[in-house]
Amino acid sequence: MPQSPLNEALAKLKITDLSSSSGKPLLILESLFNWSRNYIGNFEDFLGELLKTSFWQLQDYLNNPYPALCLGLASSIDIHNRALAPSEPAYHSRKHFQDVCTAMTVLLAQEISAARPTNDLWQMSREDAWLLLFCAIAHDFGHTGLTNTRPCELEKISIEKARLFLRQHSANPALQNDLQSTIEPIILATDPADLNTLLAKFTGPNANPTKTDCLSMLMVEADLLASTLPDYGKILGTLLGQEWTNHNPKAAVSVASDQGRLKFLQNIRFVSPYAIMLGMEDIRKHSIELLKG
């Protein structure tokens, strides 16, 4: 198995001085996600590499049930998606799962605690971090490559598959019941149609987010992060276009175009302190400027 560059990348991305959106953070992120895309091995192997990083080792605790659950869920996704071959979705493939787990790790590894009060909703416990990784693994489980015909249609499929996995693999009924209810709003938040509603909870005139809103926003940011990068994001737009070609050819052409990417980038925002520290708003704006020429 190839040596993972994740530890080195995570160390380099722990920065406090973001001098340029086109500088250090962007170059490291582009390289990291290209490594994810070119990784040779299945999703469970990739996740095993991720869990060996210093960050996830530091998140471990006594009787932690999550590593086994996360690896088991990744294995279930491998089995499900291998059965789809050769029709595994072009964008919502296991490579996307790897990207989102990588993005979640990069976000959570940003050290925000020193500058924020201890009762801040953005403070993530070890259990919160593992919950978010589990959601990152589960959020597109069973994705068909189609688009929603009703609110949260595909997200509900993923939730049900995650619940079935928990019923079959969790030896702790209390944890199973807690997870089944906790993951639902976080995964539902990844429906693109709900992004503006979620953002308004942080940026609107009546902003008053809850802890669940913060968890949901981090999940959404991890889902969007790789697509925001100027080079890697363009590759992902092309793959999404390929995925949509048969069922929505007009949208497929649009999403893969520069104009489609520009619209996407102008419609999203990064608001968590983790994403701000990583420089994702600067990178988003930089990507917009490149497209505008």
Side-chain angles (χ1 to χ4, degrees):
M1 191 176 295
Q3 182 64 34
S4 166
L6 285 165
N7 265 321
E8 182 181 357
L10 291 172
K12 288 180 178 178
L13 287 167
K14 283 186 179 180
I15 52 180
T16 57
D17 179 20
L18 298 171
S19 59
S20 171
S21 62
S22 60
K24 185 177 176 181
L26 177 54
L27 294 175
I28 297 169
L29 288 169
E30 291 275 17
S31 176
L32 184 58
F33 285 103
N34 274 304
W35 175 81
S36 170
R37 176 67 40 180
N38 295 319
Y39 181 82
I40 299 173
N42 59 34
F43 181 35
E44 183 182 8
D45 291 337
F46 180 90
L47 191 65
E49 287 287 325
L50 196 67
L51 296 188
K52 292 175 187 175
T53 61
S54 298
F55 174 78
W56 286 109
Q57 292 294 303
L58 288 170
Q59 304 313 305
D60 205 7
Y61 55 90
L62 185 65
N63 298 322
N64 180 5
Y66 281 101
L69 286 175
C70 288
L71 289 167
L73 183 58
S75 177
S76 294
I77 291 169
D78 277 327
I79 293 168
H80 178 273
N81 282 38
R82 276 199 298 266
L84 299 176
S87 58
E88 185 173 6
Y91 174 86
H92 289 98
S93 66
R94 282 168 285 174
K95 295 297 183 183
H96 172 64
F97 291 72
Q98 292 174 189
D99 284 350
V100 177
C101 289
T102 300
M104 184 63 78
T105 303
V106 168
L107 286 168
L108 291 173
Q110 301 307 303
E111 296 179 350
I112 68 162
S113 57
R116 306 185 73 85
T118 55
N119 63 344
D120 188 84
L121 292 174
W122 285 113
Q123 294 283 4
M124 296 294 150
S125 67
R126 292 176 176 180
E127 290 83 355
D128 291 333
W130 285 103
L131 169 66
L132 284 168
L133 182 63
F134 185 86
C135 288
I137 297 166
H139 82 287
D140 277 330
F141 189 3
H143 201 291
T144 61
L146 303 177
T147 51
N148 286 341
T149 60
R150 55 185 181 274
C152 300
E153 178 182 9
L154 293 168
E155 290 75 19
K156 289 176 181 177
I157 290 173
S158 301
I159 290 167
E160 188 51 41
K161 286 189 173 296
R163 285 176 170 168
L164 178 61
F165 167 82
L166 287 168
R167 288 196 291 271
Q168 293 174 340
H169 294 86
S170 177
N172 184 332
L175 174 65
Q176 173 189 316
N177 292 333
D178 183 51
L179 269 177
Q180 287 183 165
S181 60
T182 304
I183 65 173
E184 181 171 352
I186 298 171
I187 295 177
L188 289 179
T190 62
D191 183 344
D194 288 342
L195 178 59
N196 287 336
T197 300
L198 181 60
L199 283 170
K201 295 180 179 181
F202 297 91
T203 61
N206 300 314
N208 188 27
T210 65
K211 181 69 172 187
T212 297
D213 293 331
C214 293
L215 293 165
S216 298
M217 181 54 72
L218 277 166
M219 180 64 244
V220 171
E221 290 180 340
D223 201 18
L224 298 175
L225 194 151
S227 294
T228 309
L229 306 179
D231 294 333
Y232 194 72
K234 189 170 184 178
I235 294 171
L236 296 180
T238 299
L239 290 171
L240 189 55
Q242 293 173 9
E243 184 171 294
W244 290 355
T245 295
N246 291 331
H247 73 276
N248 196 341
K250 184 177 180 181
V253 171
S254 175
V255 77
S257 69
D258 285 352
Q259 195 59 36
R261 272 193 56 70
L262 183 60
K263 182 178 179 181
F264 159 74
L265 291 165
Q266 289 173 331
N267 285 342
I268 67 172
R269 295 289 185 278
F270 290 89
V271 301
S272 79
Y274 300 90
I276 299 303
M277 181 167 284
L278 187 60
M280 288 313 302
E281 267 299 280
D282 291 332
I283 290 172
R284 181 183 71 86
K285 293 171 184 176
H286 177 66
S287 294
I288 289 172
E289 292 307 311
L290 288 176
L291 287 166
K292 287 181 175 179

